[in-house]
Amino acid sequence: QEHLVESGGGLVQPGGSLTVSCEASGFTFSLDYYGIGWFRQAPGKEREGIACLSKGDGPTYYADAVKGRFTVSRDSAQNTVYLQMNSVEFEDTGVYYCAAHRYYYCTGLPSPAMELWGKGTPVTVSS
């Protein structure tokens, strides 16, 4: 069985930093063969894609709202992808989800039709 489990969410002050992790288990292939999408859902809003990390050396895309502040990375040896959040703002509050798709090359923000989803980890930006 394939699973994605997010962790690392919590309370952070405006301007602070937080790293959210997404650990994969039960995958047939290395995470190098998967594209990863990061999504978030703010209170009272629809879920939105914020970053897309391609398989292998493919391109990475970020939503304008997070560009320059958030960074996605992959550690295939640990079966984990990361979302590094810097200079967080009140508007970054929400539940953060990772999602995966085999052989996925990003052409923009991540598709909502990813194959596998985690259950999310909440991030609250508050002073």
Side-chain angles (χ1 to χ4, degrees), residues 23-76:
E23 184 175 6
S25 62
F27 279 40
T28 302
F29 307 111
S30 165
L31 279 184
D32 289 335
Y33 295 92
Y34 292 81
I36 301 294
W38 281 98
F39 301 79
R40 69 183 181 187
Q41 186 168 19
K45 297 180 64 178
E46 296 294 320
R47 185 169 61 191
E48 62 176 341
I50 58 172
C52 191
L53 176 65
S54 293
K55 163 194 177 298
D57 294 328
T60 301
Y61 294 90
Y62 297 93
D64 289 342
V66 307
K67 190 176 299 181
R69 301 187 298 115
F70 291 10
T71 303
V72 177
S73 62
R74 175 194 288 112
D75 187 343
S76 296

Side-chain angles (χ1 to χ4, degrees), residues 3-9 18-25 27 29-39 51-56 60 62 71-85 96-101 104 106 114 116-118 121:
H3 298 279
L4 295 174
V5 180
E6 301 95 337
S7 62
L18 189 69
T19 298
V20 177
S21 300
C22 175
E23 184 175 6
S25 62
F27 279 40
F29 307 111
S30 165
L31 279 184
D32 289 335
Y33 295 92
Y34 292 81
I36 301 294
W38 281 98
F39 301 79
C52 191
L53 176 65
S54 293
K55 163 194 177 298
T60 301
Y62 297 93
T71 303
V72 177
S73 62
R74 175 194 288 112
D75 187 343
S76 296
Q78 298 296 320
N79 299 308
T80 303
V81 296
Y82 302 94
L83 178 66
Q84 175 68 45
M85 306 167 59
Y96 283 72
Y97 302 86
C98 63
H101 197 297
Y104 191 84
C106 303
M114 306 294 278
L116 182 67
W117 293 77
T121 185

